[in-house]
Amino acid sequence: RPDVSTQMIMPQNVIVSLQQNWEKIYFLAEAGWANWSKMQDTILNVRGYSAVTPLNWKDTYRLGVGGKYKFTQKFLMQAGVSYDSSPTSTALRQPDLPMDRQIRAGIGIMYDLIKQATLAVSYEYLSLGRASINNTTSSGTLSGYYPTNYANTFQISINIAI
């Protein structure tokens, strides 16, 4: 088993959200900021050798809107979209973390099984951009992009209030 470790500082986030509701309809909005500029380097240690990859990421912002519709007392449908800006640029992007702007769109349903338990089913499409790379260092130039940079997420959960 090799002696391998990595070190990465994750950002702090500030998110402000709003919910406005009318009888069966809920409007949701959020704005956020992530302190990605704290994540300056990734450090990989393998058997006593350390490699430092400079990232020089910048802070990002997030905007999102969504809604909920309560069909019955027990059945709720929800949908939303959001946008996150990119923490890096084409000239600084690295292939190990090809972060670009992110656009999310999701839909879900919730059903109250009993007073303390809710069944939820949701789907989210996440577009991660093209994540173009044109990074020139003293070692040469790394150039390319990720043409299929997306994710589909399905979730089924039971939430229990204790």
Side-chain angles (χ1 to χ4, degrees):
R1 169 179 104 174
D3 181 21
V4 177
S5 66
T6 187
Q7 180 180 344
M8 187 181 303
I9 297 172
M10 297 307 290
Q12 62 187 356
N13 291 279
V14 176
I15 298 172
V16 177
S17 58
L18 166 77
Q19 175 177 302
Q20 176 66 49
N21 57 303
W22 301 271
E23 292 184 31
K24 293 184 172 194
I25 298 172
Y26 299 76
F27 171 75
L28 310 166
E30 75 173 16
W33 165 82
N35 189 17
W36 285 108
S37 61
K38 281 288 199 190
M39 193 170 151
Q40 292 300 307
D41 301 318
T42 14
I43 302 168
L44 178 64
N45 300 303
V46 179
R47 296 185 178 157
Y49 173 75
S50 291
V52 177
T53 303
L55 296 175
N56 299 312
W57 281 11
K58 61 186 178 198
D59 296 347
T60 62
Y61 66 89
R62 173 187 176 95
L63 299 171
V65 294
K68 296 180 184 180
Y69 182 75
K70 196 161 195 168
F71 286 101
T72 67
Q73 193 66 14
K74 292 186 168 215
F75 185 67
L76 178 89
M77 183 175 168
Q78 54 192 6
V81 296
S82 69
Y83 172 84
D84 286 79
S85 62
S86 177
T88 190
S89 65
T90 300
L92 297 173
R93 189 169 285 119
Q94 298 291 331
D96 60 340
L97 289 170
M99 296 289 289
D100 197 3
R101 63 92 180 120
Q102 300 172 34
I103 298 173
R104 293 177 168 85
I107 189 166
I109 55 172
M110 297 175 74
Y111 182 76
D112 292 337
L113 299 170
I114 58 175
K115 188 176 181 177
Q116 294 86 9
T118 303
L119 172 67
V121 178
S122 64
Y123 165 75
E124 180 183 48
Y125 173 77
L126 171 58
S127 169
L128 297 163
R130 288 175 51 98
S132 299
I133 299 174
N134 193 13
N135 191 329
T136 301
T137 66
S138 60
S139 303
T141 299
L142 176 63
S143 184
Y145 65 94
Y146 293 80
T148 55
N149 208 10
Y150 66 89
N152 291 293
T153 306
F154 297 92
Q155 177 181 319
I156 298 174
S157 63
I158 294 179
N159 302 307
I160 299 173
I162 299 176

